Each structure stands twice: as structure tokens, then as C-alpha cells.
Amino acid sequence: MVKINENYLKLPGSYLFSTIAKKIAAYQEANPDKAEDMIRLGIGDVTLPIAPAIVEAIHKAADDMGRAETFHGYAPDMGYAFLRETIAQRDYKDRGCRIEADEIFVSDGSKSDCGNIQEIFSHDNRIAVCDPVYPVYVDSNVMAGRTGEYDTEAGIWSNVIYMPCTADNCFVPELPKETPDLIYLCIPNNPTGTTLTRKQLKVWVDYANRVGAVILYDGAYEAYISEEDVPHSIYEIEGARTCAIEFRSFSKKAGFTGVRLGFTVVPKDLKCGNVMLHALWARRHGTKFNGAPYIEQRAAEAVYSQEGHKQVMEQVAYYKKNTRVIYDGLKEAGYTVFGGVNSPYVWLKTDDGMNSWEFFDYLLENARVVGTPGSGFGPSGEGYFRLTGFGTYENTVKAVMRMKALKRKK
Ligand code: MLT
């Protein structure tokens, strides 16, 4: 009889954002009169339409697909040279990073790559994650059978090294006591919205090179970095070419959550023994992925054009303004808030010692505001809550006003 991958049965509940979507749907069904008035600041999904310069590129690429001379079938597995060369220049060389176009793998988004990358590593490797963090890293390793057993009470996996990032250590992970093989770093961090300076990141690069670990560096929120001493790429740090893989996304920078495009950088200097990880990822990519669509790669190319860049950075500024409204408004109301400066996320302490899910229900019930419970990102997220700056400005202001009013009622 066929056997299933039993590791899937170990996963507690459904994926965090699917659980939230189900809860919202149940609330809407039970309260049809309040559904309209609900403000969603939960999943980090953008609300502004795709910028005009990018829409124009999409139209043009669609026309290309309709003419024999410019039609494109399967894209090259790693992505078209026009996009990889642009990325190498603009995201890396212009920042002083030595990354070549043939070290860039274009994909259908960085969530897939963050989830799939573990496939090229041995089953025996131990992973270390910041706690709290984007749940895809742990969940994808659970599916692969790398995480041991789940302790329901504590919300932890026996074979995962958790690196708590809390107010006590200013959300800066400390080097773990046990030595990991794979270290996931999401910088700026999802969900806390906090980040690492160059000096702090250098500690991790040196550590990984010293112990022979690989850093899986998720830079999805890079466009939101405001502070000078925060690196935009791990390759700005000397030594990163021999220990780090970087994931980048167009979702939060250019509103591509529905378009789907991202890329992964695997430097050719990154080796395990004699094996180049670049060769393994190329093999995996070529076998399991048929190249991102031409139209989307042309759209991504337009993100770097003069007009496109200006327009997407205006959108980023809009979301950053929303984030500021949340941060300042909630702080003024007496909430304890973190993040928000180099990130579209504000991380706040729940009220009155409520746990994260109790606060989720309380806010939905009393303010019709949806956020994300901190415990969904790891055990150290318990007692915290995440709000995103990706809503509309009007809704963001309204949500903050409702939360302020709620606080006043207490
Ligand atoms: C989030 O809300 O954490 C993100 O939008 C999820 C994602 O990028 O997949």
C-alpha cells in the first residue's frame, strides 16, 4: 500500500495565514453586518496597484507574446539574462557586492525558494531559526523530517535550535550554544520589524565561516531599510560569499504578491566540502522549475527602470508612512511597540497579558481590526502581535483610532 510522508502529520494545525483566513471567513459569516467594516492588517499583502511603468512593461511583453518574431516559450531555468544582469548590477554591484548574473536564479517568488532550499541539504543537518520568525522555514523542515518531535505545550520542535529575539536582547539573536548547520536569518525580521547592523551581521558571517554553517538569508524586506548602517544584502559583509545564500522578492518592493517573482543568489564560492551549492541548486531548479514567465520577468526588469524605480519607491514610502502611523499612534496610546523603522511591520505587546490569539479575537471583536498573532511565528512571539503597514492609508488611520479608543475604554 502506498505510504504517505508522515512528517506532514506532525505539522500542528494549518499554515499560519491560512488559519487567519479561516477565522476571518468564520467571523464574516457570523457577523455579515460588520464584515464591510473590517480592516485587514494581518498578512503582509500590498494594497496599491502595480506601478504604471511596470504595467506598461507587462502590456508590451504581452504584445511580444502575440507576435511570432517576439514570442517566448519556456524561459531559461535561471531566468532571462536581461533580468539577471540588471539585478546583478543594481542590487549588488552598485552596492559594492561581488555578485555575477550567473549566480542569480530567478523564480516564482522567494517563499517557494525559502521553502525548497532545504532539499539540497542532508537530512541530518540541524537548523537554527530566530524566534519569532516567518513560519515557512520551520514548517518546510518539518515536512522534510528534520525537526524532531513537537512539544505542544511549549510550541517547540526538539531538533530545532531556537534563537530568541526579544525585547531583552533588543531583538538581536545571540550565537547559539549548540552548533547549527543551517542558519535562517530574515533581515529585516518578519515579524518583529527589527534588523541587524553591518557589525552585528558580520558576527554571523564570521561565525558561519568558522563553524562551517550556511546562512539562509531572507532579504524580502530590503526595500524598507531606512538606516545607513543596516546592510541591504548579506554580500555587503566580507566573507559572505563563502557562507550565505540570499533570497529576494519583488512582492513587498513592487507589489508583486499576485504577480509572483523573486530570486535567489547562490555564490559560486559557497561549497560544502568540494561540492558547489550553486551546482546543486541549478540541478534542482532545472529539474523542478520551468522558468518564470517572460511577461513577469519583463515586469521585474521595469522595476529597475528610471520611472519604475521612482514609482515603486514612492509606493514603499507610502507603506512606510502607514507603518509610522501605526507605530506612533499605538505608542501614544500606551502600547509597547517595536520595529517599524526598517520594515513594514510593527510588533506590539498584547494588552492585559492576553495571549496572542486571545488578543487577535479581542481586536477583531471590539475594533474589527485583523492582525497576526505573535505566537504563530514561534514560542517567543507569545504575548505579541504584528500589524502591517500594507493597508491603505485611510484604513490604517482608522484602525489606529479604533485601537486607541479601545485602550481608553480600559
Ligand atoms: C507575511 O505576512 O508574513 C507575509 O506576507 C507572508 C509571505 O510573504 O509569504
Side-chain angles (χ1 to χ4, degrees):
M1 198 172 90
V2 70
K3 290 192 183 126
I4 55 157
N5 174 354
E6 298 220 348
N7 296 314
Y8 276 68
L9 303 181
K10 294 183 182 172
L11 286 162
S14 53
Y15 180 59
L16 174 62
F17 294 105
S18 313
T19 308
I20 293 176
K22 278 185 211 147
K23 275 192 159 262
I24 295 173
Y27 178 82
Q28 282 174 320
E29 204 178 310
N31 304 277
D33 50 321
K34 294 185 190 153
E36 275 284 287
D37 198 31
M38 189 163 62
I39 301 174
R40 295 174 188 234
L41 303 180
I43 191 165
D45 197 2
V46 293
T47 45
L48 292 173
I50 301 289
I54 299 165
V55 173
E56 200 183 310
I58 293 173
H59 283 155
K60 186 170 171 307
D63 288 343
D64 286 350
M65 294 298 273
R67 279 192 306 264
E69 324 73 81
T70 48
F71 167 75
H72 287 75
Y74 289 127
D77 322 326
M78 286 181 65
Y80 287 103
F82 65 77
L83 179 58
R84 289 187 291 114
E85 279 160 15
T86 307
I87 293 170
Q89 186 62 47
R90 299 291 296 283
D91 283 327
Y92 295 102
K93 292 181 182 162
D94 287 357
R95 290 199 178 275
C97 308
R98 197 162 56 82
I99 293 295
E100 299 300 329
D102 62 0
E103 296 177 312
I104 293 166
F105 296 78
V106 175
S107 73
D108 63 348
S110 71
K111 179 178 184 178
S112 322
D113 289 352
C114 287
N116 291 328
I117 195 73
Q118 46 76 29
E119 276 187 31
I120 64 167
F121 296 100
S122 162
H123 184 259
D124 301 339
N125 285 319
R126 265 195 100 186
I127 68 160
V129 291
C130 292
D131 170 28
V133 86
Y134 187 39
V136 169
Y137 315 143
V138 171
D139 284 7
S140 55
N141 278 285
V142 174
M143 292 168 177
R146 214 177 265 116
T147 54
E149 297 309 315
Y150 189 62
D151 177 338
T152 323
E153 196 95 323
I156 57 174
W157 292 91
S158 60
N159 201 33
V160 171
I161 300 171
Y162 290 89
M163 306 182 293
C165 298
T166 63
D168 292 341
N169 59 12
C170 298
F171 302 95
V172 176
E174 283 152 32
L175 295 179
K177 291 189 179 63
E178 299 165 276
T179 309
D181 303 294
L182 298 170
I183 303 167
Y184 286 87
L185 292 180
C186 176
I187 311 288
N189 182 268
N190 175 13
T192 65
T194 54
T195 190
L196 297 182
T197 62
R198 276 193 181 77
K199 205 169 147 200
Q200 288 165 338
L201 188 55
K202 176 85 170 101
V203 170
W204 284 94
V205 168
D206 290 347
Y207 171 76
N209 278 319
R210 194 167 66 243
V211 302
V214 172
I215 297 178
L216 302 170
Y217 190 83
D218 184 353
Y221 299 94
E222 166 275 332
Y224 290 81
I225 293 172
S226 313
E227 292 177 319
E228 265 303 302
D229 64 346
V230 177
H232 286 248
S233 161
I234 193 165
Y235 304 115
E236 289 178 43
I237 310 296
E238 205 193 320
R241 281 186 59 85
T242 51
C243 70
I245 292 177
E246 179 165 292
F247 307 94
R248 292 277 275 268
S249 164
F250 290 93
S251 291
K252 318 294 162 142
K253 177 176 182 173
F256 277 29
T257 53
V259 174
R260 307 304 314 147
L261 209 78
F263 61 91
T264 291
V265 183
V266 189
K268 291 190 175 168
D269 298 346
L270 179 54
K271 293 187 180 151
C272 285
N274 293 329
V275 180
M276 269 169 62
L277 293 184
H278 182 281
L280 295 193
W281 189 242
R283 186 69 172 86
R284 193 252 165 224
H285 213 58
T287 306
K288 295 197 175 181
F289 185 63
N290 250 345
Y294 170 74
I295 296 175
E296 284 156 37
Q297 296 198 49
R298 282 292 182 204
E301 182 190 31
V303 171
Y304 298 90
S305 70
Q306 209 179 355
E307 262 314 281
H309 179 72
K310 183 169 161 280
Q311 292 167 3
V312 299
M313 290 322 283
E314 277 165 11
Q315 297 195 336
V316 168
Y318 174 91
Y319 295 132
K320 281 172 85 154
K321 185 169 147 197
N322 288 349
T323 312
R324 202 72 229 163
V325 166
I326 300 172
Y327 184 96
D328 290 343
L330 296 188
K331 192 170 177 186
E332 193 185 299
Y335 288 91
T336 307
V337 286
F338 303 97
V341 177
N342 295 292
S343 149
Y345 296 129
V346 174
W347 187 238
L348 57 131
K349 271 204 153 118
T350 60
D351 266 346
D352 292 340
M354 274 184 250
N355 77 30
S356 301
W357 280 106
E358 282 165 358
F359 191 67
F360 174 92
D361 291 332
Y362 168 77
L363 217 54
L364 182 57
E365 203 49 57
N366 296 288
R368 294 160 324 281
V369 172
V370 178
T372 309
S375 56
F377 298 98
S380 297
E382 185 53 280
Y384 284 89
F385 201 71
R386 191 194 77 177
L387 291 174
T388 144
F390 287 123
T392 64
Y393 178 72
E394 295 70 26
N395 274 346
T396 305
V397 170
K398 218 191 281 181
V400 170
M401 274 166 42
R402 289 184 192 171
M403 286 179 72
K404 278 181 162 176
L406 212 53
K407 194 84 170 169
R408 275 197 301 271
K409 269 201 222 150
K410 287 187 167 265

